[in-house]
Amino acid sequence: MTISLASLRQHPSAHLCVCVPQPCVNGPMSRNFEVAGLSADDKMHIAEHKVPALPLFDNAFCAFARGSLMSTPLGDVAVENLQPGETLNTSTGEPAKILWIGSSTFVPADPKRRMPLIRIMADTFGPSRPSSFLTVGPFARLLQTPHHLRGETNGTQMFTLASEFVDGVNVIEVCPPTPVRMFHVCLDRHAAINVGGMEMETYHPGSAAIRSVSHPMRDLFLSMFPHIAHASDFGPLAHPRAPEVETTNAN
């Protein structure tokens, strides 16, 4: 299943606030996003947004493919079966609470905006890393320092875009012509979580991405996170990120 608005509305402990913003027309393309999250007072907020298909927004929803198994205190659970309020195991050994789950449907081979998914073959980064092939989005990051930076980090672990490891053999690009449901999760703190045997980053926009857009676009973006009032509320990064080419988000 995907994030089911109907099932979340029936959640016995949820206090729902359903908000459906008006479609935004400030751009040549738009995309539908679904959000389920907890506000600061633990009320469940469910929303369907139609906003510009810009990197700032796509980054927040295109990390984990449907079926990706995430480690919880009760065992592995597919991302589409998680709900806000549940917990995920983190690399520190301390579980963290899920505050937000976002999902959207992407067509990786769409000629208007090609967005290849990344497929990581079993055991690419060591035994059971991942345990079987793992498909992630173009904005997913692994807790894996790039080869060319390992001599410069003094052992510091870095979050690196999965696309940096594409070699055409063990890590490949795939572009299905049919729609693919993708997800991302935000915890009560930024963290690395176990996804199919790989340590991967939970959602954090980073400071540069928000600074690169206009105030109206920034406010629209932040409205999609019921637990966030200001960009600083995302907190600090759990690990530094490997440098990457910056992408212009638009107005």
Side-chain angles (χ1 to χ4, degrees), residues 1-201:
M1 59 185 264
T2 61
I3 294 178
S4 169
L5 299 185
S7 65
L8 284 171
R9 289 189 181 103
Q10 297 169 8
H11 194 283
S13 61
H15 299 279
L16 299 190
C17 174
V18 179
C19 102
V20 182
Q22 293 298 314
C24 181
V25 295
N26 294 331
M29 293 177 60
S30 62
R31 199 186 306 281
N32 293 319
F33 298 99
E34 289 187 6
V35 165
L38 298 179
S39 61
D41 57 2
D42 267 349
K43 289 184 179 179
M44 181 76 80
H45 288 244
I46 298 170
E48 295 177 85
H49 300 259
K50 186 173 184 179
V51 299
L54 303 174
L56 176 63
F57 296 95
D58 286 349
N59 289 8
F61 294 83
C62 193
F64 309 114
R66 175 188 171 92
S68 297
L69 296 177
M70 299 190 169
S71 176
T72 81
L74 300 178
D76 290 347
V77 177
V79 62
E80 66 269 21
N81 292 329
L82 294 171
Q83 291 190 9
E86 297 176 337
T87 58
L88 293 176
N89 294 327
T90 71
S91 60
T92 65
E94 292 292 329
K97 185 177 180 180
I98 300 171
L99 295 185
W100 180 93
I101 302 174
S103 72
S104 188
T105 298
F106 297 81
V107 180
D110 188 341
K112 295 181 181 178
R113 187 179 176 199
R114 186 174 179 272
M115 294 176 60
L117 303 182
I118 311 300
R119 180 160 295 167
I120 307 170
M121 302 306 174
D123 306 324
T124 293
F125 294 96
S128 298
R129 299 187 65 234
S131 53
S132 62
F133 79 79
L134 177 65
T135 302
V136 299
F139 309 112
R141 289 183 175 87
L142 314 177
L143 187 57
Q144 187 81 19
T145 303
H147 297 289
H148 68 281
L149 292 179
R150 288 181 182 175
E152 305 175 14
T153 60
N154 295 319
T156 300
Q157 293 181 299
M158 306 181 77
F159 284 124
T160 307
L161 287 172
S163 56
E164 292 290 325
F165 299 98
V166 170
D167 59 12
V169 179
N170 295 307
V171 184
I172 62 175
E173 289 187 347
V174 292
C175 283
T178 54
V180 178
R181 195 72 179 175
M182 301 296 295
F183 299 80
H184 218 328
V185 298
C186 193
L187 307 183
D188 56 14
R189 64 180 184 277
H190 187 238
I193 58 174
N194 186 300
V195 183
M198 293 296 301
E199 288 185 308
M200 303 196 68
E201 184 186 35

